[in-house]
Amino acid sequence: MSEKTPADFWFDPLCPWAWMTSRWMLEVEKVRPVEVRWHVMSLAVLNEPRLDEMPAQYAEMLKTAWGPVRVCVAAEQEHGPEVLGPLYTELGTRFHNRKQERDRATIEEALVAAGLPASLADAAESTEYDERLRASHKEGIDLVGQDVGTPVIAVPGADGSQIAFFGPVVTPAPKGEAAARLWDGTLLVASTPGFYEIKRTRDAEPQFD
């Protein structure tokens, strides 16, 4: 059996577009020899330098963005990186598909569903893991640059080194052969020297299953 292709994926569980892309990546794992390696990035950290320029509503949302990513990092540090994927799925399903409140009760519910202690929710109000959170965020941003959001995905380029992009931004999440084709295209552009960007204006909201 051929070795699986690694795909490093940086997410903030509050971002609906990252959620869409993450569901595509899980589908890709079913149809291509790919292994997703999950990492945390933070919308709150990303936007710290621009808080004064942002609409008040978005700035207020960013205050609530600290809790879930802190909990994710705490879970990773205490129980290993393999718990990040299942925890992200449980958080994202509740935040996006079910429209549950982004509060401690929902976080605890997600933790238990992922087989983790509910007490990890304490990390939401703690700065204990912030150094590691910022380091994980920096790892992704250093690969792709500052002019991005979440998700960040890094795949092997032509010479095997990591090539990172923001996105792909897509809705609904492709399934089956459609997911495979988008993955193949992602590898194709990553292997093209000097390729940086394809973009168009979004005219649809995220469509959750």
Side-chain angles (χ1 to χ4, degrees), residues 50-74:
R50 301 185 287 272
L51 272 179
D52 292 341
E53 306 165 13
M54 294 186 166
Q57 185 177 5
Y58 191 76
E60 192 63 28
M61 183 280 291
L62 289 175
K63 293 179 183 178
T64 70
W66 285 100
V69 287
R70 283 170 168 167
V71 171
C72 286
V73 171

Side-chain angles (χ1 to χ4, degrees), residues 171-202:
T171 189
K175 292 182 170 57
E177 187 56 28
R181 289 196 301 270
L182 180 55
W183 171 253
D184 295 342
T186 301
L187 291 184
L188 176 63
V189 297
S191 68
T192 303
F195 177 85
Y196 292 101
E197 185 175 0
I198 293 176
K199 189 171 183 178
R200 64 176 180 151
T201 299
R202 302 176 203 173

Side-chain angles (χ1 to χ4, degrees), residues 69-116:
V69 287
R70 283 170 168 167
V71 171
C72 286
V73 171
E76 177 190 32
Q77 293 295 287
E78 298 295 330
H79 298 275
E82 65 275 7
V83 306
L84 267 182
L87 178 55
Y88 181 28
T89 289
E90 298 298 341
L91 286 168
T93 298
R94 287 161 177 79
F95 291 165
H96 304 298
N97 297 63
R98 300 180 188 171
K99 308 298 184 185
Q100 292 178 227
E101 293 294 328
R102 298 168 178 179
D103 57 14
R104 183 182 177 108
T106 301
I107 291 173
E108 286 184 349
E109 183 183 305
L111 284 163
V112 171
L116 294 164

